[in-house]
Amino acid sequence: MKLSITVVVLSSVLASSGIARAEVPSQSVGPVQDGGLYVRERERYMDTRRVFLSSLLVWGGANVAAGIPISAVSRDAFGQWFGVQTIAWGAVNSAIAIVGLATSGTVRGELDTLGAIDAERRRMRRFLWINAALDVVYVTAGALLYGLADDRGARGNGAAILGQGLFLVGFDFLGSFTQGPRAPLSGP
């Protein structure tokens, strides 16, 4: 039961990271018509993306680093499974961040017009809102498991899922606001 819950939660996280890209036709304003604005907006988006993914990587790494000793030194099932669940979430979050950072060059290359940048921002904002909704499911599942399970190991799993879900709700919600509209075309 404990392992199946862990697998379900991890599968959900991985599945949520693969939401398809929405293709939006590019606007005609691109690097040729307004190179300065285009470059500023592309680099602004890429910087925001890098900070967001780097933050997720730090969170994931911290979870792995904390989960290992927690699971290793805990003398009861609650702590052991809390640690294991924390390691698992940290590994998944780290993997998502690493793949995102590794594909930055490809993403930058695809942002060849202001329209493409705007479409990427909309796609990312939608992705983060969907993730935030899934995070609420994790919070609910973690709270139920923690509150209703008789087994200490299951309660440890629930506590870890609850903590991860709470962090990720805030992280994805706040991240969606970093994907705001670009500067007006008439701006400096």
Side-chain angles (χ1 to χ4, degrees):
M1 170 89 175
K2 297 174 215 173
L3 182 59
S4 64
I5 292 169
T6 303
V7 170
V8 168
V9 170
L10 290 175
S11 298
S12 298
V13 171
L14 291 173
S16 72
S17 67
I19 296 170
R21 290 180 82 113
E23 296 298 324
V24 178
S26 298
Q27 298 174 1
S28 62
V29 178
V32 174
Q33 286 92 353
D34 192 343
L37 177 62
Y38 161 75
V39 170
R40 274 194 317 271
E41 289 303 314
R42 183 191 66 200
E43 294 312 307
R44 181 176 147 223
Y45 174 78
M46 293 305 298
D47 288 346
T48 301
R49 183 178 189 275
R50 180 185 47 76
V51 168
F52 186 76
L53 290 169
S54 296
S55 299
L56 184 61
L57 182 57
V58 168
W59 172 254
N63 277 272
V64 170
I68 290 170
I70 289 171
S71 64
V73 302
S74 293
R75 303 232 184 266
D76 76 332
F78 182 95
Q80 291 168 350
W81 284 103
F82 180 90
V84 168
Q85 189 69 247
T86 301
I87 294 166
W89 281 84
V92 169
N93 287 329
S94 294
I96 290 168
I98 289 167
V99 169
L101 290 166
T103 60
S104 291
T106 302
V107 171
R108 177 180 270 112
E110 292 172 354
L111 301 178
D112 56 357
T113 65
L114 288 171
I117 296 166
D118 288 344
E120 179 66 12
R121 283 190 178 123
R122 284 190 302 272
R123 185 199 68 80
M124 190 62 167
R125 191 169 36 248
R126 183 175 52 249
F127 170 79
L128 291 169
W129 277 106
I130 291 169
N131 266 0
L134 290 171
D135 299 336
V136 170
V137 173
Y138 305 147
V139 168
T140 304
L144 288 171
L145 190 56
Y146 176 75
L148 299 177
D150 293 328
D151 180 74
R152 297 244 336 126
R155 291 184 61 140
N157 273 314
I161 294 167
L162 177 60
Q164 290 295 322
L166 287 171
F167 170 80
L168 292 171
V169 165
F171 187 76
D172 290 337
F173 180 75
L174 292 174
S176 72
F177 288 105
T178 67
Q179 304 304 316
R182 64 178 158 84
L185 289 176
S186 60

